[in-house]
Amino acid sequence: MSAVFAGGSLLGALCGMGPAFAEPPTADEFRTLDTVPDRMAACSDAGADAYESGDAEQIRKAMDGEIACLTVIAADLGKTFYGAEAFGADGIEGALKRLRDPLGRLYATVQNDPVACAPACGTLYTIQSEDMYRRFLATLILDISERLKDDSPVHSE
């Protein structure tokens, strides 16, 4: 058994810092990492008709659904592979919730407030700002998955 587990270390646990684990994740739990790309694709595919419709309201609803779906994947990874409070007392879901508003404002500013499109950039750019948050989640999930594979007994080379 390794002294370092995903999200914490034996030294950190002994010093009261970071999460402690009774047992590291199982090989079967590590195998679930192989399903992450398909799960992410299913999130995207669920809104495919809305995205193709070109209707802004349908696209926004589909984007909200995809973001919610991706958040579930991130939450599953957090609960399975990290200590209970690795991301704070309210888990990865709480951490993502705390990031949502400031990142949303940042991405909305990037898309909607350049001087070149003043006074208004329009609906397309509002949707683009939502897509920036969706891409943040997708990147986070892939980064977590790839990081976890470094410690995986079934993904080592």
Side-chain angles (χ1 to χ4, degrees), residues 9 11-12 18 24 37 62-63 65 67 73 83 100 108 111 115 120 128 135 150:
S9 70
L11 178 61
M63 188 76 61
I67 288 169
I73 296 170
R100 180 70 171 108
Q111 291 295 332
V115 175
Q128 286 296 100
R135 290 184 314 207
D150 288 346

Side-chain angles (χ1 to χ4, degrees), residues 7 19 24 27 45 49 56 60 66 69 71 76 79 84 99 105 120 122 127 135 140 142 146 152 154 156:
D45 292 348
D49 290 340
R60 280 193 192 124
E66 188 172 352
C69 184
T71 301
D76 288 349
K79 289 173 186 171
L99 287 171
R105 284 192 310 268
I127 292 169
R135 290 184 314 207
L140 176 68
L142 292 173
E146 290 304 310
S152 171
V154 297
S156 58

Side-chain angles (χ1 to χ4, degrees), residues 81-95:
F81 295 99
Y82 293 88
E85 294 189 15
F87 297 98
D90 50 356
I92 196 169
E93 299 102 317

Side-chain angles (χ1 to χ4, degrees), residues 18 61 79 104 113 132 136-137:
K61 286 180 183 177
K79 289 173 186 171
D113 292 345
M132 290 175 79
F136 158 76
L137 282 175

Side-chain angles (χ1 to χ4, degrees), residues 40-41 43-45 51 59 62-71 96 100 103-104 107 126-142:
M40 292 174 67
C43 292
S44 177
D45 292 348
Y51 294 131
I59 292 170
M63 188 76 61
D64 288 345
E66 188 172 352
I67 288 169
C69 184
L70 291 170
T71 301
L96 290 173
R100 180 70 171 108
L103 280 177
Y107 293 149
T126 301
I127 292 169
Q128 286 296 100
S129 69
E130 287 295 303
D131 186 55
M132 290 175 79
Y133 184 74
R134 181 203 58 79
R135 290 184 314 207
F136 158 76
L137 282 175
T139 300
L140 176 68
I141 291 165
L142 292 173

Side-chain angles (χ1 to χ4, degrees), residues 106-123:
L106 176 68
Y107 293 149
T109 299
V110 166
Q111 291 295 332
N112 292 303
D113 292 345
V115 175
C117 73
C121 293
T123 304

